[in-house]
Amino acid sequence: MAPKIPTVFFKNGSPIPALGLGTWNSPPGQVTQAVKDAIDVGYRHIDCAHVYENEHEVGAGIAAKVAQGNVKREDLFITSKLWNTYHRPDLVKGALQATLRNLNLKYLDLYLIHWPVAYREGDVLFPLRPDGKRVHFSDVDYIETWPAMERLVEAGLVRNIGLSNFNVQQVQRVLDVARIPPATNQIECHPYLHQASLTEFCKRHDVTITAYSPLGSPARPWVKQDDPVLLEDAVVQRLAQKHSKTPAQILIRYQHQLGHVVIPKSVSRQRIASNADVFGFELDAADLQQLAGLERNGRICPESFSFGHPHHPFEAEFRKGRR
């Protein structure tokens, strides 16, 4: 049994478990079991998204555990995300309702705008242009989307709302118009990409950071043979040996000590349990300094399909790092 997972509190006082199960890129047919295994070993936080195309499997796993009496719905914290093709305000509620149907839930604990970029409206997730490399854009501004997100809270369909993959200026624009401020900004975060100025800005404004791809997403579909593997980094390996932990446990613990909610993905019961066994040891100041020193602007989720979009959050930074 995994140790008890600590709780983090959003600015509005809502609790969120500090560790959750990520479900992006989880192979079809394995997600339901992964969710059941995660609940069995102590997870209460599951991170989903419409674009992952596996929310029905997540829902089946949740339903099975609730039916068995292992857990109650109110004990769980379920997150999902509004996809880019549904940014138009009149489409937001319908997109949420589709997610709720897939998950077989009456409400979400957290709903995020997945990216600040809007795609051409419709049910095609990536409405590609003829070149096959970029998508057709929509001119909807996420500032127009935010009030529709707030209405979901007021309707009792969502407990908290937030952002994902928004840069400093974009978070500020939302804060400037929000009646309900974003509870979190879910961003890629690991020792090769700290996004320090963004995380510091969010913390100053009481926007909790949720770290995705904390292990460097070694199984991402577009990985290249010569890409560095964070889990095999010499510093990470040394610290794992020092603390008698796995490299993954070091990386997850690192995010926790940075004050971030962290959502590692796995479909292996053994790894799911191991990933939660990170609350019984501590990285010291020297350990933290070594991991901070691995920064290389190593973004692995650049959302290149939407390069050229006026609201792309980090295209300029991504291109600058590759000059």
Side-chain angles (χ1 to χ4, degrees):
M1 178 67 71
K4 184 169 170 56
I5 293 169
T7 299
V8 170
F9 291 91
F10 291 144
K11 181 184 179 181
N12 64 9
S14 291
I16 177 174
L19 178 80
L21 177 74
T23 60
W24 173 64
N25 200 31
S26 293
Q30 298 181 36
V31 183
T32 297
Q33 189 59 49
V35 169
K36 291 196 285 189
D37 288 341
I39 290 172
D40 283 345
V41 302
Y43 286 70
R44 295 295 178 263
H45 173 188
I46 313 290
D47 182 84
C48 325
H50 175 75
V51 75
Y52 302 166
E53 297 187 278
N54 59 13
E55 289 191 322
H56 58 293
E57 293 189 47
V58 173
I62 292 169
K65 286 296 155 188
V66 170
Q68 288 169 13
N70 297 63
V71 71
K72 296 175 183 171
R73 165 62 184 102
E74 53 267 32
D75 298 330
L76 298 173
F77 191 100
I78 311 299
T79 300
S80 189
K81 309 178 191 80
L82 177 76
W83 184 237
N84 305 344
T85 52
Y86 305 113
H87 278 207
R88 210 173 67 204
D90 63 304
L91 300 177
V92 171
K93 186 176 180 181
L96 169 69
Q97 288 171 327
T99 275
L100 290 174
R101 281 194 300 274
N102 286 332
L103 290 169
N104 195 25
L105 298 175
K106 291 186 169 62
Y107 70 92
L108 289 180
D109 298 276
L110 177 62
Y111 198 43
L112 310 176
I113 300 180
H114 203 152
W115 290 86
V117 295
Y119 293 172
R120 185 173 68 188
E121 290 74 21
D123 293 328
V124 177
L125 296 174
F126 293 91
L128 292 176
R129 300 181 189 192
D131 64 7
K133 294 178 181 174
R134 288 200 302 158
V135 295
H136 287 284
F137 300 151
S138 165
D139 61 2
V140 178
D141 190 322
Y142 53 86
I143 290 301
E144 301 166 42
T145 311
W146 190 253
M149 298 285 284
E150 292 175 324
R151 287 193 287 275
L152 300 177
V153 178
E154 290 156 358
L157 296 170
V158 171
R159 299 282 169 87
N160 301 278
I161 49 177
L163 310 170
S164 182
N165 301 299
F166 278 55
N167 66 28
V168 167
Q169 293 76 19
Q170 291 167 336
V171 175
Q172 184 64 65
R173 285 188 75 215
V174 174
L175 288 170
D176 287 345
V177 302
R179 287 181 299 106
I180 302 174
T184 189
N185 188 16
Q186 184 180 126
I187 59 172
E188 179 184 342
C189 206
H190 46 76
Y192 287 167
L193 182 76
H194 286 83
Q195 308 210 72
S197 60
L198 175 57
T199 59
E200 286 161 16
F201 174 85
C202 287
K203 285 173 185 174
R204 271 202 318 275
H205 291 83
D206 295 314
V207 178
T208 300
I209 292 292
T210 302
Y212 73 74
S213 295
L215 312 182
S217 194
R220 61 192 181 277
W222 53 87
V223 69
K224 299 188 186 73
Q225 198 169 356
D226 59 347
D227 283 347
V229 180
L230 178 58
L231 287 162
E232 296 173 3
D233 189 278
V235 168
V236 178
Q237 293 272 340
R238 263 200 317 275
L239 292 177
Q241 196 168 18
K242 171 182 172 179
H243 291 280
S244 301
K245 291 291 180 181
T246 67
Q249 288 170 328
I250 296 296
L251 294 170
I252 294 165
R253 178 71 200 184
Y254 183 51
Q255 293 301 320
H256 179 63
Q257 286 189 221
L258 290 175
H260 301 164
V261 175
V262 58
I263 47 170
K265 182 225 80 172
S266 182
V267 292
S268 153
R269 184 183 177 105
Q270 182 182 356
R271 285 201 194 102
I272 288 169
S274 174
N275 288 348
D277 187 15
V278 296
F279 302 109
F281 78 104
E282 192 155 340
L283 299 168
D284 62 34
D287 300 336
L288 298 174
Q289 193 172 9
Q290 288 182 66
L291 290 165
L294 295 179
E295 175 64 65
R296 58 200 298 167
N297 193 31
R299 191 179 295 282
I300 54 179
C301 295
E303 189 64 4
S304 54
F305 275 127
S306 52
F307 280 173
H309 195 293
H311 295 145
H312 195 290
F314 31 68
E315 179 181 0
E317 159 251 291
F318 184 81
R319 293 195 185 285
K320 182 181 176 184
R322 276 150 181 76
R323 277 180 190 158

